Amino acid sequence: MSDALLAPSTLLFRFACPCNQTDQVWSTAGFELSNEYRLPHFGNMDGQASFADVRAAWSAAGLFFDVEVFNKHQSLWCRPTQMLESDRVMFWIDTRDMHGVHRATRFCHWFLVMPIGGGSDGKQPQATMLKINRSKEDSPTLNQYRQLAATRITPDGYRLLVHLPKSCLNGWNPNEHRRLGFNYAIKDRELGFQTLAVGPELPIEENPSLWQTLELAKASTESSAK
């Protein structure tokens, strides 16, 4: 499903993706989402390489993301003091799905997660919630995000499991608001950029009108095993 959107000098399309409900809960071991939770990669229609599998789910407790990056040959480059230059996964969430605005509102959120670089040994994930540039108003949860992430290193990459609890999502109310503005971006120094749709050539970090939509759907059956 898509709606046409005209941006300066660029014809874009806004996509809506189903995000199925889950009964899983967060644990220090993380979780796994099956194929029914996989998101499409619309960015490959614009020539982006596909080097990651991204899955998303929701529950009353918040959002769950299962990201697997593959085809890596080089080591991860993650520095807590240089998070915006590191290998990283980023999520943007607008709990009101307001695509008519070009500056973030108090319902907009930006999360950044590095697969490693945290912990005393530097081998744990490191996550933060970032201030969105040029926002009309910051989310009141900006300083309330508590990291819930787990990393599994694989032979050719890594798997990153992230839970964004409702406590850090201002306006979270899936009973009344079933559509979320959403975008993700995966940056890897070796593999490049992968986004849901629109790439880094446009200001996706700060402009909610360039984000896509997640539709919170109730799954008929729960399948949490891969």
Side-chain angles (χ1 to χ4, degrees):
M1 174 180 176
S2 66
D3 301 310
L5 167 67
L6 187 64
S9 303
T10 310
L11 181 63
L12 308 172
F13 292 91
R14 182 177 298 125
F15 299 95
C17 309
C19 178
N20 288 329
Q21 191 174 17
T22 182
D23 60 6
Q24 296 198 60
V25 296
W26 173 259
S27 74
T28 54
F31 52 88
E32 289 191 2
L33 298 177
S34 61
N35 287 341
E36 68 181 289
Y37 298 96
R38 179 178 284 117
L39 298 180
H41 177 208
F42 300 114
N44 59 15
M45 295 191 298
D46 196 32
Q48 287 186 26
S50 294
F51 58 83
D53 179 82
V54 182
R55 306 177 188 196
W58 73 278
S59 76
L63 292 166
F64 298 81
F65 295 99
D66 183 342
V67 179
E68 186 169 9
V69 173
F70 42 83
N71 292 335
K72 279 189 65 60
H73 301 285
Q74 301 175 10
S75 299
L76 283 162
W77 196 93
C78 299
R79 303 292 187 271
T81 58
Q82 297 173 273
M83 296 184 74
L84 285 171
E85 288 76 47
S86 296
D87 294 333
R88 62 195 183 274
V89 178
M90 297 179 287
F91 304 101
W92 291 269
I93 310 292
D94 175 5
T95 56
R96 289 297 181 270
D97 193 37
M98 295 185 291
H99 292 291
V101 298
H102 298 278
R103 294 171 61 189
T105 71
R106 66 184 185 278
F107 300 109
C108 297
H109 314 75
W110 177 15
F111 301 92
L112 183 155
V113 190
M114 299 189 310
I116 62 171
S120 58
D121 59 0
K123 296 181 179 180
Q124 307 305 313
Q126 181 77 33
T128 189
M129 183 175 174
L130 297 172
K131 177 182 174 63
I132 299 177
N133 187 39
R134 299 179 62 252
S135 60
K136 292 181 178 179
E137 186 179 359
D138 293 333
S139 168
T141 65
L142 181 59
N143 298 313
Q144 299 176 16
Y145 174 55
R146 181 169 63 90
Q147 174 176 313
L148 296 173
T151 299
R152 302 172 187 173
I153 300 299
T154 62
D156 65 343
Y158 64 89
R159 190 167 185 175
L160 183 63
L161 310 168
V162 180
H163 176 41
L164 302 180
K166 63 180 181 180
S167 61
C168 69
L169 296 169
N170 182 46
W172 176 258
N173 188 340
N175 291 324
E176 295 185 8
H177 300 280
R178 304 300 290 270
R179 292 169 65 93
L180 306 176
F182 173 71
N183 194 32
Y184 75 76
I186 303 167
K187 176 63 173 71
D188 187 275
R189 287 194 165 203
E190 175 188 0
L191 302 172
F193 256 103
Q194 178 176 321
T195 63
L196 177 60
V198 178
E201 66 278 2
L202 293 174
I204 57 175
E205 295 181 354
E206 62 184 46
N207 188 341
S209 73
L210 299 174
W211 303 350
Q212 312 308 311
T213 296
L214 277 187
E215 296 183 335
L216 306 183
K218 290 187 176 181
S220 57
T221 59
E222 172 65 24
S223 175
S224 59
K226 194 172 183 181

